[in-house]
Structures are given as C-alpha cells and as structure tokens.
Amino acid sequence: MSKENLILLADAYKYSHHKLYYPGTTKIYSYLESRGGKFDSTVFYGLQYFLKTYLEGQAFSRADVDAAANFLPQVFGRDDVFDRSNFDYILEKHEGRLPVKIKAVPEGTTVPVGNVLMTIENTDPTCFWLTNFLETLLVQVWYPCTVATISKEVRKVIETYYEDTASASARSGIDFVLNDFGFRGVSSVESAGLGGSAHLTAFSGSDNLMGSRFAQRYYHSDKVYGLSIPATEHSICTLLGEEGELKVFKHVLDTFPTGPVACVSDSYNIFRACEEYWGEELRTQVLEREGTLVIRPDSGDPIMTLLHLFATLFDKFGFSTNEKGYKVLPPQVRVIQGDGVNYDAIKAMYAALKAERISAENLVLGMGGALLQKLDRDTQKFALKCSHAIVNGKEVVVQKSPTEMNAQGEIVESFKKSKGGRLKLVRNGRDFRTLDEKQNPELRDELVTVFENGVLHNENDFDTIRSRNIFDKEKAKVVST
C-alpha cells in the first residue's frame, strides 16, 4: 500500500489557519504534555515511528499537492480555504522536507505528568502555520505512550508482589508475567504494532507478532522481543466433545513433552479439569515433564476462580513454602489468567493471593483489550499547545488559562491551563521539572533534537528504550495490601 498523503493528515479546520494567524506571525512554538490522568507518570514512547513513517525525508510530492487541491475544496464547499502555494513553497524551497524542529525526551523515559515531553517549531518563518498543522498526526503518540505506561504500571505492581511474596530466584520470570493478547482486539494492524511494541518496552511476553515487527522496523533491532509458548484454544480442547477432553489434554502433553505449554481448561468444567484430569489422571505425566504446564481458566470471577483453582492444585500436586512463607506449586505447574484482566483487576488478584499466603510466582497473566484498546487520549490527558510565537518581530509568550464551572456551580481554574514560553525539561533523579529554557542555565535540558528539516537525529534503539524503562533503579514501589 502506498504511503498516505501527508497533506491530508490533519483535522479539516487546520487548513484555514494559515489565514487566521494574526498578520506578521513568523514563528509558532508548541509543546506536548500529559496533563494528568490515571497514572502519575507517563512513559514516552512511539514518536520515532511517526517521524520515520510520515515526516522523514521528502514528506510529500507534487502529486500529493495536486490530490489535496482537488479534495479539499470539496470538503469546504469553497476554494478560498486551502492554499496549495503553502505546500508548493515547501516543495520548491525545501524539496518537500518539512522545515520544523522537534525536540523530545528520550523514548523509554518515565516523566511525571504535567511536564513537557516534546516541542515543535517552524524553522522557516514563511511556514509558521506548519507547526500546529502537524498536531493531528503527532498527538497520536498518546497511544503508544499510554500503552507503555499501562505496562510499566502493571510491572510495578507485579514487582511489588514478587518482592513481598515470591522467592528471589523467581524474579527472573517477571519479564514474562504479563503477556500481550491484544492483536485481535485492536482497530488496525498499525495499532497492533504500535501498542504491541509499547508493551514490549516493559515485558517480553507477547502473542502479538506485530509488536516485535515494529520494534525491528522502526527501532534498529534484529532481535525478536515478544516471546511466546505453544498453547491451545477452545477449538482444540472441544474437538472431541466433553467426553474427549481428557484425551485432548493427554495429546497436548504428548505433543510437547518438554518445555512450557499452556492449555485452556474451562471448556466444560475447569474445576473437574484441575481436580480429576490434571490432578489425577495426568498428574504423573505432568510432574515428570521437563517443563511447565500452564493451566488457563477463561471464564468466571477471576479472584474466586483463582483461589479455588490454587486450593485444588495445591491439594493435588503439593506445594513448597518459600523463604517468605508463601505457597508455591511445583515448577511443572502454573496458572495463567487471561480473562477480565486489567490494571485494577491485577492489583486485586495479587492482593487476594497474598492474603491466602499464595506466592505471586504461581500466576502469569494475559491482557488484551484492556492493554491495547480500553484506553484513550484522556487516560493520560495528552495535549499539544502553542506556548511561544513571534509576531511582527516580537517574541510573544502564548498561554491559555480557562476557567470552568464545577459541579457545585463554582467558577474555578481549569486543569487545561497551558504553559507559556519556550520550555526545557530538567531532571534530578526521578524529579523532573519544566522550566523556561533560559531559567537555570546550569541545568541540562533533557529534551534532545530528534527531527530537523526532514532529518532524524538521536535515534533510539529498542534495547536502550527497554533499559530506560525497565531498569530504572529509582522506580517507585506500589503499596500492596
């Protein structure tokens, strides 16, 4: 499929802005931030994909301008809104390379909300309109940022419960606790790749192949980051009917006599499957395997189901008590919960296990819609706003500060108040602050140039992004219950 026409990748109203900016405007400088939301910090990830896919090099052609000149007058029902000369100028003066400069925090960095994450400004005074024309496309970075943030926050929960309840030797498995089951639930293959690779900044478990493909394609990696294991689905386990379920289970063990294998076991009666089939008929074969059988429930209340299953599995397969005093199944048996899994449910599940003295190392997770689809731009409240301009040769601090009426009928300051001026992001450990770029000149700006006049700079590779995200030695601990 051919590349999308960049000239048509904006909200329709933006095509009138070249006329609506006040006469004499020559510079528009804008910034991106996560203004708040579900989590106190946001992982920045995904900008490099958008830069490489849509902005790098010659961003559009004469044919693209011709197509836009035919299309947009039909959108507005008039021919005085879109002015092709703006884009013809970029073709002639800059060979189609976009005259903008973009700075951003290195991808994989976790930044507290309310701070600048990216800035963009025009480098050619004639193209002052271009800065915010690109908002529509660039703000879509909210999606991979939010997925990366959710995965990071889930990892913090898991690490906390592992620290509280799991043996030290089990910690090496944390990378595979949360698995991406979301490919089928997203709106497009592009979403699967963006969201799937964002998840891989925090974990390695994934059935979403596009995540690894995007990491390879856009982040300089030959490595496959998303790893999986053989696993059944209901079409396999129901193939011989209810009376043949035991035969199917045995076939699964016979087919993969070593290594991990997962088997969905709720096709008919998950409790019978665990007590009679896995726990009695196939018990010896399971325990003699050089590998782990991962039993998957897929229906019912997750907490009540898990507690009942673990009680059954402890009874049938036995357990050890680790150095922290929590029960652990034999290494040949584990459980994966892949139904009804989201951030809040994960916290509740591990809290319930802890309350019953069950180690977190017994459970792994699969997450689909809640990881890649049940989120939006307001999950972390992303916005791109102008904060500085040059009008008729004078620098202008640009800022909005709206008031709003609350539920009590009081007029209060809105959280949508924006920042003013040219900005920089400074850091002291985990403490990030957004300052005017001239303030505290001794403090280094964490924002680095990633794009200028069609050329990418300071590209990120996926290993480095994962290192920034996962191995942050100062990450906060989630309080467990």
Side-chain angles (χ1 to χ4, degrees):
M1 188 176 75
S2 60
K3 180 180 176 181
E4 286 291 340
N5 184 345
L6 177 77
I7 303 175
L8 298 178
L9 296 183
D11 296 313
Y13 73 97
K14 286 188 176 292
Y15 297 90
S16 63
H17 289 182
H18 67 98
K19 289 187 172 183
L20 295 175
Y21 280 112
Y22 196 78
T25 301
T26 55
K27 170 78 77 172
I28 294 292
Y29 171 100
S30 297
Y31 74 97
L32 176 80
E33 73 173 322
S34 167
R35 296 190 289 205
K38 184 175 178 66
F39 304 108
D40 292 336
S41 296
T42 297
V43 178
F44 188 70
Y45 170 76
L47 177 62
Q48 188 164 293
Y49 161 78
F50 289 98
L51 299 179
K52 285 193 168 189
T53 302
Y54 298 105
L55 304 191
E56 184 178 24
Q58 182 178 336
F60 59 90
S61 66
R62 187 77 65 186
D64 291 329
V65 182
D66 292 342
N70 178 63
F71 181 84
L72 289 167
Q74 298 178 63
V75 171
F76 294 103
R78 53 196 294 176
D79 59 9
D80 62 346
V81 177
F82 175 69
D83 186 349
R84 68 169 295 154
S85 68
N86 290 320
F87 293 94
D88 285 333
Y89 172 83
I90 294 174
L91 276 176
E92 294 161 7
K93 180 72 179 292
H94 301 286
E95 299 180 329
R97 296 176 182 270
L98 300 179
V100 294
K101 179 179 180 179
I102 299 174
K103 297 176 68 177
V105 66
E107 297 194 28
T109 304
T110 301
V111 181
V113 297
N115 283 293
V116 58
L117 298 170
M118 178 187 82
T119 64
I120 177 172
E121 60 186 303
N122 57 294
T123 58
D124 182 331
T126 304
C127 299
F128 61 89
W129 56 269
L130 182 60
T131 299
N132 272 37
F133 176 84
L134 295 171
E135 174 191 13
T136 309
L137 180 65
L138 292 177
V139 170
Q140 288 189 345
V141 76
W142 74 261
Y143 176 66
C145 286
T146 305
V147 175
T149 300
I150 291 171
S151 289
K152 174 70 171 283
E153 293 295 328
V154 170
R155 186 172 180 117
K156 285 163 61 176
V157 171
I158 291 168
E159 288 181 340
T160 296
Y161 280 100
Y162 263 64
E163 183 177 331
D164 291 347
T165 72
S167 57
S169 60
R171 290 189 62 83
S172 60
I174 289 177
D175 218 30
F176 298 93
V177 173
L178 183 65
N179 296 270
D180 176 2
F181 285 0
F183 199 163
R184 71 190 62 183
V186 293
S187 58
S188 67
V189 172
E190 182 183 37
S191 295
L194 268 174
S197 61
H199 167 70
L200 294 176
T201 64
F203 289 94
S204 293
S206 178
D207 274 355
N208 180 356
L209 301 183
M210 287 308 299
S212 290
R213 295 290 288 157
F214 266 52
Q216 291 179 328
R217 193 175 299 157
Y218 301 105
Y219 288 91
H220 304 287
S221 173
D222 294 325
K223 181 179 177 180
V224 174
Y225 284 89
L227 307 179
S228 186
I229 65 172
T232 66
E233 63 180 18
H234 287 103
S235 68
I236 292 169
C237 292
T238 59
L239 198 60
L240 301 182
E242 186 170 356
E243 67 282 0
E245 187 178 37
L246 175 59
K247 286 184 179 179
V248 173
F249 287 175
K250 187 175 189 312
H251 173 67
V252 170
L253 297 179
D254 290 342
T255 302
F256 291 99
T258 61
V261 62
C263 189
V264 63
S265 302
D266 76 325
S267 300
Y268 306 103
N269 185 331
I270 182 70
F271 308 109
R272 178 184 63 196
C274 289
E275 184 170 352
E276 297 179 18
Y277 298 165
W278 297 123
E280 293 178 1
E281 298 286 346
L282 301 171
R283 178 180 184 277
T284 300
Q285 188 174 358
V286 169
L287 291 176
E288 290 179 352
R289 291 183 78 247
E290 293 183 11
T292 303
L293 167 69
V294 185
I295 297 170
R296 178 162 73 95
D298 197 45
S299 50
D301 179 83
I303 291 177
M304 297 304 296
T305 300
L306 287 173
L307 293 180
H308 191 102
L309 288 187
F310 278 119
T312 299
L313 294 173
F314 288 143
D315 179 61
K316 294 299 181 179
F317 290 98
F319 62 89
S320 59
T321 301
N322 65 24
E323 67 269 24
K324 295 177 182 175
Y326 289 83
K327 290 179 279 190
V328 183
L329 284 165
Q332 294 87 353
V333 185
R334 290 292 183 266
V335 175
I336 182 168
Q337 178 68 31
D339 181 57
V341 177
N342 57 50
Y343 174 78
D344 294 317
I346 289 169
K347 291 173 68 176
M349 282 186 274
Y350 280 111
L353 295 187
K354 181 180 179 181
E356 295 297 319
R357 309 299 293 179
I358 300 170
S359 174
E361 63 199 272
N362 293 291
L363 179 68
V364 294
L365 305 161
M367 193 168 165
L371 178 63
L372 301 187
Q373 198 71 7
K374 291 182 181 178
L375 60 149
D376 57 35
R377 184 163 66 93
D378 285 333
T379 302
Q380 290 300 102
K381 298 185 181 354
F382 275 86
L384 186 144
K385 296 298 175 185
C386 177
S387 62
H388 178 270
I390 297 177
V391 182
N392 292 315
K394 295 182 179 180
E395 294 195 40
V396 181
V397 173
V398 182
Q399 188 174 25
K400 76 170 193 174
S401 185
T403 56
E404 60 188 21
M405 187 169 289
N406 64 21
Q408 290 73 43
E410 302 166 325
I411 296 178
V412 296
E413 183 179 88
S414 172
F415 80 94
K416 291 187 175 182
K417 179 179 180 178
S418 65
K419 295 173 171 55
R422 295 180 63 90
L423 308 172
K424 69 178 179 181
L425 182 69
V426 299
R427 179 178 189 176
N428 180 16
R430 285 187 59 82
D431 179 27
F432 284 86
R433 288 184 297 151
T434 298
L435 304 175
D436 183 276
E437 68 174 7
K438 295 179 181 178
Q439 192 176 351
N440 295 94
E442 75 280 4
L443 298 179
R444 187 187 73 178
D445 188 0
E446 295 294 318
L447 303 178
V448 298
T449 301
V450 294
F451 181 91
E452 188 166 14
N453 300 330
V455 179
L456 266 66
H457 301 276
N458 296 302
E459 292 191 45
N460 295 270
D461 66 84
F462 209 73
D463 272 336
T464 302
I465 291 170
R466 275 178 56 88
S467 295
R468 288 190 189 114
N469 191 26
I470 296 176
F471 302 112
D472 180 358
K473 301 302 182 184
E474 298 177 275
K475 53 181 171 287
K477 180 178 179 180
V478 173
V479 177
S480 63
T481 56

